Amino acid sequence: MQKFFVVVLVTLLGLSTAVQGVPVEGDALLQRDTNAARFARGMPPLPPVKRTEAAKRHNPSPQPHSH
């Protein structure tokens, strides 16, 4: 009976440590690699991230009229 509890305990311990290293879908999206980390692994840089819609192109301001 004591062996059974030891086996169950070791199995649960092994599973709990294995699950800790698995990223959750939401965590993977929040933790993007930096370009430095990507360069260190020989990967290309990430594309630029569009953070806001405020930086849209606008028409140039009108030229002042000289009278």
Side-chain angles (χ1 to χ4, degrees):
M1 191 63 136
Q2 189 177 9
K3 271 188 176 179
F4 174 75
F5 287 117
V6 170
V7 169
V8 170
L9 180 65
V10 169
T11 304
L12 289 176
L13 243 154
L15 287 174
S16 68
T17 56
V19 171
Q20 286 178 353
V22 177
V24 179
E25 237 178 273
D27 291 343
L29 295 176
L30 295 176
Q31 296 175 350
R32 292 184 67 180
D33 283 343
T34 62
N35 281 334
R38 291 175 61 87
F39 285 141
R41 291 194 312 264
M43 297 173 69
L46 291 168
V49 177
K50 189 174 184 179
R51 298 189 187 276
T52 180
E53 294 290 324
K56 290 183 179 179
R57 291 186 183 257
H58 294 283
N59 294 335
S61 58
Q63 296 290 328
H65 295 290
S66 58
H67 287 96

